[in-house]
Amino acid sequence: MKKLICTLLALTMLLTLCSCGTIETTTDDIITDEEIVALIDGDIQIGKYLYVYCPSTDWDNSVEYEGKIWHPVVQEGFETWDEWEAYIRSIYCGEWAEYALTNESYKNIDGKLYCDGGERGYDLSDDYVYEILENGDGEAKVNVTNPGIDGDFAQEYTLITTLTDDGWRVSGRE
């Protein structure tokens, strides 16, 4: 019975670690304010790209692909799909990264990043305040309050961050 419990516990721990490529941590593994700010800024920027507007695009060189018009992204750092994926994975891990990379507003066409160019109807503020709720053992929960723009689209949420082999990443929200 002890072997079965130990095996199940080990398997559970392994599956948990694999979701974001987390590493073995100690109580000293805490996120810094600088790392939190970088992740919140990145989360807000990705949110804008996914739900508000596309990075700069070239409207004159649009292509039809899978029955839809797509515009090549020309913003430095996001011109190729590999650059886009690297940026997403520098902020998110696990399911959050996969969700962002499968957003229907973006396509990988011959290695280039294309956007549908659609405006999504609202904006997110770059202003926010945060409070660390939990911090240690390679995970931090950070309460983020974003006032929105002129009070519209205000948000309050808890960002869950995880220490991975590549540094701290956003792994979820509550």
Side-chain angles (χ1 to χ4, degrees):
M1 185 66 158
K2 272 187 175 178
K3 266 187 159 176
L4 177 60
I5 291 172
C6 288
T7 303
L8 289 174
L9 181 60
L11 182 59
T12 301
M13 289 175 65
L14 178 64
L15 290 174
T16 302
L17 292 175
C18 289
S19 67
C20 274
T22 56
I23 60 174
E24 187 175 323
T25 62
T26 69
T27 55
D28 294 332
D29 292 321
I30 60 174
I31 193 167
T32 66
D33 285 318
E34 183 178 278
E35 292 165 322
I36 289 170
V37 168
L39 290 176
I40 295 171
D41 288 348
D43 179 55
I44 290 171
Q45 187 59 60
I46 291 171
K48 287 180 177 186
Y49 287 149
L50 297 182
Y51 305 113
V52 183
Y53 53 78
C54 294
S56 298
T57 57
D58 180 357
W59 292 86
D60 294 329
N61 287 302
S62 302
V63 299
E64 185 174 342
Y65 183 76
E66 296 178 347
K68 191 173 177 180
I69 301 298
W70 296 93
H71 313 285
V73 173
V74 294
Q75 184 168 318
E76 187 176 333
F78 297 117
E79 295 172 314
T80 69
W81 184 263
D82 288 344
E83 290 172 329
W84 174 249
E85 182 174 10
Y87 178 67
I88 297 293
R89 293 190 188 282
S90 75
I91 305 299
Y92 296 141
C93 68
E95 292 177 7
W96 279 77
E98 297 311 314
Y99 173 79
L101 290 169
T102 57
N103 184 283
E104 293 181 3
S105 295
Y106 294 90
K107 280 285 183 208
N108 177 358
I109 303 175
D110 298 326
K112 300 252 321 146
L113 178 64
Y114 282 77
C115 182
D116 65 5
E119 295 294 324
R120 283 118 177 113
Y122 67 94
D123 203 354
L124 302 171
S125 172
D126 290 326
D127 297 327
Y128 58 85
V129 293
Y130 70 89
E131 175 186 9
I132 300 170
L133 303 175
E134 297 175 24
N135 192 2
D137 297 324
E139 183 174 285
K141 291 186 177 184
V142 181
N143 187 63
V144 179
T145 303
N146 185 316
I149 296 181
D150 297 326
D152 291 332
F153 310 109
Q155 299 178 349
E156 184 169 352
Y157 53 92
T158 299
L159 207 58
I160 302 168
T161 63
T162 303
L163 182 59
T164 71
D165 291 333
D166 297 318
W168 288 92
R169 300 292 185 266
V170 173
S171 57
R173 276 191 186 188
E174 293 179 344

